[in-house]
């Protein structure tokens, strides 16, 4: 039982995680500096729109982090369904939790940009609608997980759910390309019917790359800590079960 109660801060991953946290923190400081000061202004915007445009780097960075979270949930779910090892379920659950947080940040940062750009915080654009649906699907994933007391039943249900939930992610990505949309298309071609457009200069491109790397590192740092926390919770539950026997 002493092994089960051993504090997670003494395990062999604690110091490497602190180093990784420091790297992720420095990367995010660099992202904020580049996004606010280094990147050039958008030449086709002025006034409030030009200032609000800088949230674009945090918007795209949050998109990358959310994508990693939802993709990680699929990997973790497949791992559990194949191996039946609970460690994979912890990775899947943690990925969804953190990915959903970043998904909400995507919606909020997009709304902040939309107000000066479109004169409204929200419109029923295909990209905005599918993004919201995706976030709601993963919120439902977390709610449904809490409805199962048996860990194995919960993990099996969550594993199947996560794989179907991920189908909403490519739909969101291609929505602005497949349907009439005013949302800017930054990567991978365009849509002749889309009204939104976006072009980036050298410093903007460099800042965008830095933002994607920085947010990816931030996501991984949060993921590692959440997985460790879930592992510790499982150990505590195992102790409680032994005490109650």
């Amino acid at each position: 039982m002493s092994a089960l109660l051993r504090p997670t801060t003494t395990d062999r991953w604690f110091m490497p995680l602190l180093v990784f946290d420091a790297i992720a923190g420095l990367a995010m400081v660099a992202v904020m500096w580049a996004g606010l000061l280094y990147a050039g202004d958008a030449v086709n915007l002025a006034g409030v729109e030009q200032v609000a445009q800088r949230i674009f780097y945090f918007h795209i960075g949050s998109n990358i982090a959310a994508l990693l979270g939802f993709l990680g949930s699929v990997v973790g779910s497949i791992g559990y369904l194949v191996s039946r090892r609970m460690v994979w379920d912890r990775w899947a659950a943690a990925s969804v939790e953190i990915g959903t947080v970043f998904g909400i940040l995507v919606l909020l940062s997009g709304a902040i940009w939309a107000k000066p750009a479109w004169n409204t915080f929200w419109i029923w654009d295909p990209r905005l609608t599918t993004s919201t649906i995706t976030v709601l699907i993963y919120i439902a994933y977390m709610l449904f997980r809490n409805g199962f007391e048996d860990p194995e039943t919960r993990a099996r249900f969550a594993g199947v759910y996560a794989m179907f939930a991920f189908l909403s992610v490519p739909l969101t990505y291609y929505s602005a390309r497949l349907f009439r949309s005013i949302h800017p298309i930054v990567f991978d071609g365009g849509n002749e019917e889309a009204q939104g457009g976006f072009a980036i200069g050298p410093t903007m491109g460099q800042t965008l790359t830095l933002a994607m790397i920085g947010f990816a590192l931030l996501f991984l740092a949060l993921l590692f800590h959440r997985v460790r926390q879930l592992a510790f919770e499982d150990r505590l539950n195992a102790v409680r079960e032994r005490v109650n026997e």
Side-chain angles (χ1 to χ4, degrees):
M1 183 174 294
S2 61
L4 290 171
L5 291 173
R6 184 182 306 157
T8 55
T9 54
T10 61
D11 66 30
R12 65 182 183 276
W13 294 109
F14 180 64
M15 289 306 298
L17 279 179
L18 287 182
V19 174
F20 194 88
D21 291 345
I23 295 173
L26 290 174
M28 289 306 299
V29 171
V31 170
M32 289 186 283
W33 168 78
L36 297 175
L37 300 175
Y38 175 71
D41 294 329
V43 296
N44 60 328
L45 299 176
V48 177
E49 289 185 23
Q50 194 173 69
V51 176
Q53 176 270 333
R54 292 184 178 276
I55 203 171
F56 160 75
Y57 308 107
F58 305 95
H59 180 69
I60 294 296
S62 296
N63 260 297
I64 294 299
L67 173 61
L68 290 175
F70 301 148
L71 183 61
S73 71
V74 174
V75 174
S77 297
I78 293 174
Y80 173 78
L81 294 173
V82 171
S83 69
R84 301 297 180 178
R85 297 179 59 190
M86 293 303 296
V87 62
W88 287 106
D89 180 61
R90 289 194 289 268
W91 281 98
S95 294
V96 169
E97 291 174 3
I98 299 170
T100 301
V101 171
F102 279 107
I104 294 172
L105 291 177
V106 169
L107 297 177
L108 293 176
S109 59
I112 293 173
W113 176 85
K115 179 59 177 177
W118 299 341
N119 200 33
T120 181
F121 287 109
W122 177 266
I123 60 171
W124 290 103
D125 179 84
R127 173 60 64 79
L128 276 66
T129 303
T130 53
S131 297
T132 303
I133 291 173
T134 296
V135 169
L136 292 176
I137 287 174
Y138 282 102
I139 290 175
Y141 167 98
M142 293 183 286
L143 294 176
F144 287 142
R145 279 187 67 94
N146 293 330
F148 296 91
E149 293 185 3
D150 180 65
E152 294 184 357
T153 302
R154 179 173 61 236
R156 285 196 302 270
F157 170 82
V160 175
Y161 185 107
M163 289 189 291
F164 280 102
F166 188 76
L167 296 177
S168 66
V169 176
L171 175 62
T172 298
Y173 179 78
Y174 286 106
S175 60
R177 294 159 174 77
L178 298 176
F179 308 105
R180 184 181 296 275
S181 172
I182 65 173
H183 190 283
I185 297 176
V186 182
F187 304 108
D188 190 25
N191 178 1
E192 293 182 356
E193 295 186 350
Q195 300 177 36
F198 200 87
I200 57 178
T203 58
M204 297 173 71
Q206 295 163 9
T207 302
L208 178 60
T209 300
L210 179 61
M212 292 189 290
I213 294 173
F215 273 86
L217 292 174
L218 177 61
F219 166 80
L220 291 174
L222 295 173
L223 177 66
F224 295 152
H225 283 286
R226 181 55 177 156
V227 169
R228 291 177 70 248
Q229 183 182 11
L230 290 175
F232 188 53
E233 290 177 1
D234 288 344
R235 281 153 46 179
L236 287 177
N237 289 334
V239 171
R240 293 190 183 100
E241 291 178 1
R242 291 190 182 185
V243 170
N244 293 330
E245 288 179 354

